[in-house]
Amino acid sequence: MTTVDDRPSAEIGNRRLRKEDQRLITGRTKWTDNITLPGMVHLAMVRSPFAHARITSIDTSAAKEAANVIAVYTAADFPDGMGACANAWPITPEQVTPDHLPMVGERVACAGEIVAVVVARTAAQARDAAELVDVDYDVLPAVLDGLEAMKDEVLAHPDKGTNKSAFWKLDSAEAGTGGDVEEAIAAAREDGIVIEREYRQQRLIPAFMEPRSTVVDPTGEQVTMWTATQIPHILRFLIAATTGMPESKIRVIAPDVGGGFGGKLQTTPEEFITLAVARRLGKPAKYTETRSESLVSAHHGRDQYQKLTLSATKDGTVTGLKVELIANLGAYVAIVGGGVPVLGAWMFNAIYKFPAYQFNCQTVLTNTAWVDAYRGAGRPEATFGIERIMDELAAEVGVDPLAIREKNWIKHEEFPFTSVAGMTYDSGNYEAATARAKELFGYDELRAEQAARRESGDPVQLGIGVSTFTEMCGLAPSRVLGSLSYGAGGWESASIRMLPTGKVEVITGTSPHGQGHETAWSQIVADRLGVPFEDVEVLHGDTQVAYKGLDTYGSRSLVVGGEAVVRAADKVIEKAKAFAAHLLEANADDLEFSGGRFGVKGTDQGIGITDIALATFASHNYPEGLEPGIDADATFDPDDFSFPHGTHLCAMEVDTETGQTRMRKYVCVDDIGNVINPLIVEGQVHGGLVQGIAQALWEEAVYDENGTLVTGSFVDYTLPTAADTISFVTENTTSPSTTNTLGTKGVGEAGTIASTPAVVNSIVDALRPLGIHDIVMPCTPERVWKAIQSAGSHDGETTTEAQPHFDEAAPNNADPGSTGEGNAQ
């Protein structure tokens, strides 16, 4: 474990306004679509309207004759290829992974797939000409649903012979981290409680504010790509790896990026096509998607069927948990798409002391948009499942949902605690977070109001939803990722340059897209080096400036990238100490560093670190054997994940006559370790809450029977606005992480992970007296009303509209030859 630095701080914990906000909020920045280069051409993509079809012919002649069209290309024009969208996490050696080419020439596997590109002098002219490209298709049968895909009756990729991509299992008995789950369930069937539930994680669309955009300039010694991405370093590597271009000849720049939520954690067909066209023409080229293109063809998230079997004693003490997932990957296995559902393997057990556990995941291919990380990536899915079924256990035992959780959760004095899934939770205090949340929420008072409404037969019932969650943040360490066949490491890099004028440059390998890195990193460095906050400049997102890094996703930036910044700053201090001793003619052991100044103990002699930077720049007087300069680099590879946690409480009013729901109150108390900037934390939590609540109430990507996305605009894909939400009550308790010296834990995804089950639990809690124990998300008024109308007609089974069931499609019926065993670590 790492020792947490508890020195007094002038900056850490300060509610600094974000440095970035002035340019971001006013739009006076360099978004990718703002970039205009001399001689630049514009691209428009020709996309398939069909989910599955054979291309019989493509006629580009009319498009080529259109005004100001420079070229029209199909896959046939690039016989050596354009590169490929790679899968960086094959979860088993036998994983079925279709080739994902940027442009297809023979068969499309999902609607929105690119079959041609038009190049013109303006974007509007390119889009107009794209309408003139005449493509003949022979439409093929399409499979769109994960359960249907399990049957292998219609194949998403006929050449693969199956829709089943990979089967992955983690078993506590086999891993030596717990008992046999089948024995636990069998024992509970004899003398205990067994609860089986099926849950549906609907398909979601990241819907970031800034559509994806790419500009490529091939006219120098290097090819430079500006692109709205979360992963400039990984993108550069994969361009080189799949095109054969020398990596040293590729520069990728992520300028200010307008949101991502996992949706820009990708190498996209459009990036490869823009690169190929720019190189072919020898001209700068730009592509910016329309919003409808983004919704149809950018990757989607979630889309899981879950079956959970929980066993317990009669008093509600859990004894076992078995999880079976069918995860729809869409038409292709995306960059980490196959691994996203597997991340849930370590989180379904959550904060509870399950003695036995088994996780089974079958990934499948369908003729839908490819699925990959969406805010939380595997952890929201797991948290939803376990928090929903813990409410079911409470109902079965006849106790309060918080009581059943407290009975089974890890106590604060038991940390560090190794879970049944093999994860070591370093710190936490679920009791403290829950007690504070109950106090802020007015839990007992709302329960009393709920009882009164039930007693009076009020048509508007009150429900109280609980979610006590934990998550794992910052994919790490690299050795464990390697054992799981993950294609990258878990480290992060930072550099600090001490400029002779007294200013400081921080170069970080993380690549922000709204998180506030420039502010938080400035606070860390100002605090560590004792320099003014305003004198710190943070550089990022350019592979030629920040030449080494693994970018931003999975709430890794602060706990991994921030710690790298700390270690670089400490190296600067250590290097400066030798120069200070020389300049002060003192023994280095007699020096102490505080407030940006080295002082000789017991004297008033001293020198500032910025003065040392100037002195080493001049290099007129420095110690023998040392190189001039006190700049430093550091790379940090964590020993483990960090594990934030929290208690979220939601009160919902449900009109039993109309199905209308209204949020009455929402309180969350999160423990994210030490806080660098409370203002940034509040913003992250608020944004995360809205996304999680939106999954519970509003958002869903829907295909019709032909594979056409019918929620292809914001008219149909219902994103919430500020008017749709309420003011949240947020607070923090603190149990510092021991995996980094800052004592921090991730926060970027916490709100999304915890809020969805809290909201659904509250709606179900309001309706449970009617015999309703589930409503499939999103819980729209129509679905709630239908559940109420059919209440009691299914003998306690799910009382929402008909949904497909797991039954024979359960993942443990998969071909055992494709099994990959989980590494419980």
Side-chain angles (χ1 to χ4, degrees), residues 613-636:
L614 177 60
T616 59
F617 170 74
S619 296
H620 296 157
N621 181 15
Y622 64 95
E624 291 289 338
L626 292 182
E627 297 177 357
I630 56 173
D631 300 347
D633 304 327
T635 299
F636 174 60

Side-chain angles (χ1 to χ4, degrees), residues 410-600:
I410 303 156
K411 305 300 188 289
H412 71 273
E413 63 270 15
E414 295 178 291
F415 288 94
F417 183 91
T418 300
S419 77
V420 71
M423 283 287 181
T424 299
Y425 300 171
D426 61 319
S427 68
N429 191 328
Y430 310 138
E431 300 96 314
T434 302
R436 183 57 178 151
K438 285 182 68 177
E439 179 183 358
L440 293 169
F441 191 67
Y443 190 84
D444 295 336
E445 294 86 348
L446 284 168
R447 281 293 184 199
E449 180 186 338
Q450 179 187 58
R453 289 198 189 196
R454 287 180 176 176
E455 181 69 23
S456 68
D458 193 324
V460 179
Q461 287 291 303
L462 179 66
I464 297 172
V466 174
S467 176
T468 51
F469 84 105
T470 189
E471 61 154 324
M472 55 186 196
C473 295
L475 289 173
S478 297
R479 289 181 295 276
V480 171
L481 296 178
S483 72
L484 294 171
S485 301
Y486 183 76
W491 55 265
E492 194 47 80
S493 178
S495 303
I496 293 180
R497 300 172 186 157
M498 301 297 295
L499 304 181
T501 54
K503 311 300 182 185
V504 182
E505 287 181 340
V506 179
I507 300 92
T508 177
T510 63
S511 187
H513 41 282
Q515 293 88 343
H517 294 185
E518 293 177 29
T519 303
W521 278 211
S522 294
Q523 289 180 264
I524 292 169
V525 171
D527 180 75
R528 212 75 177 181
L529 298 183
V531 299
F533 169 82
E534 296 77 12
D535 287 352
V536 182
E537 188 78 20
V538 179
L539 307 178
H540 56 79
D542 183 339
T543 61
Q544 195 153 291
V545 175
Y547 71 93
K548 185 166 69 169
L550 284 176
D551 307 320
T552 294
Y553 39 84
S555 297
R556 71 183 301 272
S557 292
L558 180 59
V559 296
V560 187
E563 181 67 14
V565 170
V566 168
R567 295 182 180 218
D570 287 347
K571 285 185 177 182
V572 167
I573 294 168
E574 192 60 32
K575 291 175 78 171
K577 189 175 186 180
F579 287 93
H582 177 78
L583 294 170
L584 293 170
E585 298 181 348
N587 190 302
D589 293 337
D590 294 331
L591 298 183
E592 54 189 3
F593 183 74
S594 179
R597 185 174 176 83
F598 288 96
V600 181

Side-chain angles (χ1 to χ4, degrees), residues 113 157 162 233 286 318 353 361-362 394 397 445 489 515 519 531 536 546 553 565 607 650 678:
E113 194 154 20
H157 294 273
T162 181
H233 297 90
K286 177 194 282 188
V318 296
K353 294 184 285 188
C361 176
Q362 177 69 59
V397 178
E445 294 86 348
Q515 293 88 343
T519 303
V531 299
V536 182
Y553 39 84
V565 170
I607 186 171
C650 176

Side-chain angles (χ1 to χ4, degrees), residues 700-730:
E700 183 177 24
V702 178
Y703 288 94
D704 67 14
E705 65 277 8
N706 299 313
T708 300
L709 185 70
V710 297
T711 51
S713 76
F714 285 159
V715 172
D716 303 296
Y717 189 81
T718 47
L719 287 179
T721 68
D724 298 307
T725 59
I726 64 171
S727 294
F728 310 120
V729 179
T730 66

Side-chain angles (χ1 to χ4, degrees), residues 82 171 299 304 315 332 339 427 434 461-462 477 512 533 586 600 608 621 690 731 750 752 757-758 810:
M82 300 177 169
D171 189 291
H299 82 245
Q304 282 185 8
D315 70 351
Y332 298 101
S427 68
T434 302
Q461 287 291 303
L462 179 66
F533 169 82
V600 181
N621 181 15
V690 173
E731 205 170 280
T752 303

Side-chain angles (χ1 to χ4, degrees), residues 207-225:
F208 27 72
M209 185 176 292
E210 175 206 21
R212 298 173 302 168
S213 182
T214 300
V215 174
V216 176
D217 184 0
T219 60
E221 287 297 314
Q222 287 182 310
V223 172
T224 302
M225 174 185 285

Side-chain angles (χ1 to χ4, degrees), residues 19 23 29 138 215-216 291 316 334 371 378 556 558 578 629 648 771:
K19 288 183 173 183
R23 69 176 193 271
T29 187
D138 180 10
V215 174
V216 176
R291 180 59 67 181
V371 174
R556 71 183 301 272
L558 180 59
H648 289 225

